[in-house]
Amino acid sequence: VPSNNKKLSSNSMPNFTQILSNSNLNSSQDYQLNEKNEEESFSLPIQMYLSINEGRDFKISTGLSTIYLICRLFWSKEKVKFETITQNSKTAKSTQFCWTLNLSFLLKPSLVEKMRQNFMIIEVWQKTSTPTDSSSLIGTIKLPLHEFYLKFNANSVENLKNFLENSSMQPVIGVDGWISVSDPFTGQKAGEINVLLAMGSNDQILNLQKFLFDKAKIKFKTVVNSLNPSHITSIKPSINEQEHVNSIE
């Protein structure tokens, strides 16, 4: 964090970014880990699933602005930029993101150790509609990784393999709920983001996605049933929901 109290500018950010489309809910990317050439006792394929559904109570400037997030991967210097969401700060109390990210990598002892008492950082940025088209940092959230360390480090290699090969189980859940956005300059709360972070095998992640989709369908049907039928003309799943169904089937 800079020593002065000025907001960070987007010009000071590293040039490398990877844009992920909102419509591609289950895109999977392979990232090369920057690890030392040391002998590892195991190397197991695993996936990390990150879902960011909603944000609320952001401390942003008045008027029309866009919100975007930058996720900094804990095992390397790479980062992922989620596309912007435009909102009017005078009327919007919450921001619907509906972003998901799947990352495939090899789980090794050195990577498990990096999860110990560590965090994955997500930055929340605001881009204002001004002639300068500048960006300012709203705040950051810290996603704890220690739950993954406890699970993967406590088990023997054989038990860890058996866990990942069990396609009927759910993945390890590290974060599930509202996480506060902290202003790095004042330390005050600058909003909240609803986050789900999980790790497991490909089948386990699919189990989680199916569970979340079924849960969303039940909630959707409950809302529909509570409406006056005379006011309903046509109800269809959104494009994102249909893509999610197709990816699970």
Side-chain angles (χ1 to χ4, degrees):
V1 177
S3 57
N4 55 20
N5 199 33
K6 295 181 179 180
K7 289 289 185 180
L8 293 181
S9 168
S10 59
N11 295 330
S12 63
M13 295 164 47
N15 293 327
F16 176 79
T17 57
Q18 181 176 356
I19 308 298
L20 297 179
S21 172
N22 292 349
S23 61
N24 190 6
L25 290 183
N26 292 296
S27 61
S28 179
Q29 301 290 335
D30 292 327
Y31 285 82
Q32 187 71 28
L33 302 183
N34 299 322
E35 297 180 349
K36 297 180 181 179
N37 295 325
E38 299 177 353
E39 184 177 355
E40 304 277 6
S41 59
F42 62 85
S43 180
L44 304 173
I46 197 171
Q47 284 193 10
M48 183 185 77
Y49 176 74
L50 174 64
S51 174
I52 303 175
N53 294 321
E54 185 182 0
R56 65 188 181 190
D57 300 330
F58 290 137
K59 305 300 181 183
I60 59 178
S61 305
T62 59
L64 191 65
S65 62
T66 56
I67 304 295
Y68 63 94
L69 308 182
I70 292 179
C71 176
R72 297 191 177 274
L73 305 180
F74 68 91
W75 61 75
S76 72
K77 294 182 179 180
E78 294 179 350
K79 63 181 181 178
V80 178
K81 179 179 178 182
F82 293 92
E83 291 183 343
T84 58
I85 298 293
T86 303
Q87 68 173 18
N88 191 324
S89 60
K90 295 181 179 179
T91 59
K93 295 183 179 180
S94 65
T95 303
Q96 299 295 324
F97 293 122
C98 298
W99 288 326
T100 62
L101 172 67
N102 277 9
L103 298 180
S104 300
F105 54 91
L106 293 176
L107 184 66
K108 301 179 181 181
S110 57
L111 184 59
V112 173
E113 187 60 30
K114 288 182 180 180
M115 301 177 189
R116 183 177 183 180
Q117 300 294 343
N118 199 7
F119 299 87
M120 188 162 68
I121 304 300
I122 296 181
E123 302 169 355
V124 184
W125 290 80
Q126 174 193 12
K127 188 175 183 180
T128 56
S129 300
T130 60
T132 58
D133 206 25
S134 61
S135 294
S136 59
L137 181 65
I138 297 176
T140 61
I141 64 174
K142 299 169 66 176
L143 304 182
L145 303 170
H146 195 65
E147 187 67 28
F148 301 117
Y149 169 79
L150 294 177
K151 174 66 177 180
F152 300 143
N153 188 62
N155 288 284
S156 65
V157 177
E158 190 64 30
N159 288 341
L160 186 54
K161 288 181 179 179
N162 292 337
F163 167 73
L164 294 175
E165 291 173 358
N166 190 336
S167 59
S168 64
M169 295 189 67
Q170 293 287 345
V172 181
I173 306 296
V175 180
D176 184 13
W178 289 96
I179 305 294
S180 295
V181 178
S182 177
D183 187 325
F185 307 101
T186 64
Q188 297 180 350
K189 184 177 178 180
E192 291 181 306
I193 291 181
N194 195 306
V195 180
L196 172 63
L197 180 63
M199 290 190 194
S201 67
N202 178 68
D203 289 338
Q204 291 170 352
I205 295 298
L206 288 177
N207 290 340
L208 176 61
Q209 291 175 318
K210 186 178 185 304
F211 169 79
L212 294 174
F213 181 70
D214 290 342
K215 183 179 179 181
K217 282 200 304 183
I218 293 174
K219 182 178 180 180
F220 176 75
K221 289 179 180 178
T222 302
V223 172
V224 171
N225 292 336
S226 67
L227 297 175
N228 187 335
S230 63
H231 295 164
I232 302 176
T233 56
S234 177
I235 299 178
K236 298 179 180 180
S238 67
I239 295 177
N240 289 350
E241 288 175 338
Q242 190 60 51
E243 289 178 349
H244 203 159
V245 173
N246 294 337
S247 67
I248 292 174
E249 294 176 348

